[in-house]
Amino acid sequence: MKLLTPISHLFKDQKNANNIIGVSDFLEARERTAELRFNKTTHYHIDFDLNLGLSEKQIQFLIDHVKPREEIKFITFQASKDCEKIKIKNGIYYPNSPTIEFHNQIQNTKTSISQIKNILGNDRSIGIENNNYYPSGAYEICTSTDYICEIISTSNCHLLFDIAHALVTCANKQMSFEKYSNNLLNTSQCKQLHLCQPTYFYGKDPIKALDSHEIPSFELTELSIKLCKKWRINFLTVEYYKDAETLVSYLKLIK
């Protein structure tokens, strides 16, 4: 298992960048910091919704910022909402256009992956991330294990397992984390795990958990490492962006 760290806004400070790189095995590029280039960058995580189809602007981004970077062999994407237009309230999506049906989301995703491979070639591994569910009407299909498993099994696509997204989904759906995670990890196609700590709520609100990107607890850290070992997940990515010193200390703890 290798520590694969996102190139976040923290890397814009050279001292922070050097300290984080010093405790990381590899780095993961992000589109928000596409201008930053560092050695050891082997992955690219891009927040494009494959289930909605790629826009011309997104296609141009792949051509300009990803295709030339031949050192990057793993590229992952997401499917974060069921509709093209949304309203955002307290960081949560609410539908502002009709929900795209399951079959159409599958077809859109397959088309997106085909376009990506046409641009980047076939020697890079394309992955999709499980996203978090909130009871707002905008997440029912794309966060389901049915959708993720269908894409993995039919599109030569690997899994990026986000454990915080999984925990948030299970809390908000009041379902078993073990069942949810096993459904995805049993595909044996997981190559990377995203790790951060969600926030839980215990009131009457139907939202029971939120993906708040806090530093992981000891219990969640232990669970994540256990899953990496059990399912032979090669890369562990800590998604914490609030303080460079805290991130460096935590990465040292994992090592």
Side-chain angles (χ1 to χ4, degrees):
M1 184 186 73
K2 301 296 184 181
L3 287 178
L4 171 69
T5 304
I7 300 174
S8 70
H9 66 278
L10 297 174
F11 280 69
K12 293 183 178 181
D13 180 289
Q14 190 60 51
K15 181 180 178 181
N16 287 342
N18 291 339
N19 289 338
I20 296 169
I21 291 170
V23 290
S24 303
D25 296 304
F26 300 102
L27 301 177
E28 180 181 68
R30 298 292 176 99
E31 77 269 20
R32 293 173 187 170
T33 53
E35 76 282 2
L36 299 179
R37 303 292 180 94
F38 295 95
N39 294 332
K40 301 201 299 187
T41 304
T42 56
H43 291 60
Y44 218 130
H45 182 56
I46 304 173
D47 290 333
F48 294 171
D49 287 314
L50 300 186
N51 60 323
L52 303 183
L54 299 178
S55 68
E56 288 299 321
K57 183 178 179 181
Q58 290 171 335
I59 289 172
Q60 195 60 49
F61 179 90
L62 294 174
I63 294 171
D64 293 341
H65 295 283
V66 184
K67 183 178 180 180
R69 304 194 64 179
E70 296 181 358
E71 75 278 13
I72 294 178
K73 298 301 182 183
F74 299 89
I75 302 155
T76 51
F77 300 86
Q78 65 176 16
S80 68
K81 50 188 176 290
D82 289 336
C83 45
E84 293 184 359
K85 297 180 180 179
I86 47 101
K87 295 178 288 185
I88 302 177
K89 182 179 178 182
N90 297 326
I92 294 173
Y93 298 151
Y94 291 82
N96 202 25
S97 64
T99 295
I100 301 172
E101 295 182 358
F102 179 87
H103 173 76
N104 291 334
Q105 290 198 39
I106 294 294
Q107 190 55 53
N108 287 345
T109 305
K110 290 180 178 181
T111 299
S112 297
I113 293 172
S114 178
Q115 289 176 302
I116 292 165
K117 289 183 177 180
N118 285 339
I119 295 168
L120 303 181
N122 293 316
D123 61 340
R124 313 206 204 192
S125 183
I126 307 300
I128 190 164
E129 175 188 31
N130 61 302
N131 218 291
N132 36 223
Y133 168 85
Y134 298 106
S136 68
Y139 299 90
E140 293 289 344
I141 297 170
C142 66
T143 65
S144 69
T145 56
D146 288 344
Y147 165 77
I148 296 290
C149 289
E150 176 71 14
I151 292 303
I152 292 171
S153 66
T154 62
S155 299
N156 191 25
C157 187
H158 73 264
L159 172 67
L160 163 55
F161 184 71
D162 189 306
I163 195 167
H165 290 174
L167 290 167
V168 168
T169 294
C170 292
N172 289 332
K173 283 190 171 184
Q174 299 184 41
M175 63 184 294
S176 162
F177 171 80
E178 183 177 6
K179 180 179 179 181
Y180 173 93
S181 59
N182 282 341
N183 280 344
L184 294 182
L185 296 174
N186 267 328
T187 62
S188 298
Q189 294 299 318
C190 185
K191 297 184 179 182
Q192 182 182 358
L193 187 147
H194 273 183
L195 170 62
C196 65
Q197 181 71 39
T199 299
Y200 293 95
F201 307 96
Y202 300 98
K204 295 181 179 180
D205 194 300
I207 295 175
K208 302 297 183 185
L210 189 68
D211 184 26
S212 53
H213 286 267
E214 299 293 343
I215 205 74
S217 67
F218 284 105
E219 292 80 7
L220 183 54
T221 302
E222 185 178 33
L223 173 60
S224 299
I225 293 173
K226 181 179 178 181
L227 289 176
C228 285
K229 290 181 177 179
K230 177 180 179 180
W231 298 103
R232 298 181 181 179
I233 301 170
N234 295 328
F235 299 100
L236 177 62
T237 299
V238 179
E239 289 197 300
Y240 176 80
Y241 311 116
K242 297 180 181 180
D243 178 73
E245 186 176 343
T246 301
L247 174 60
V248 168
S249 295
Y250 180 71
L251 293 175
K252 287 180 179 179
L253 173 68
I254 294 183
K255 275 187 174 291

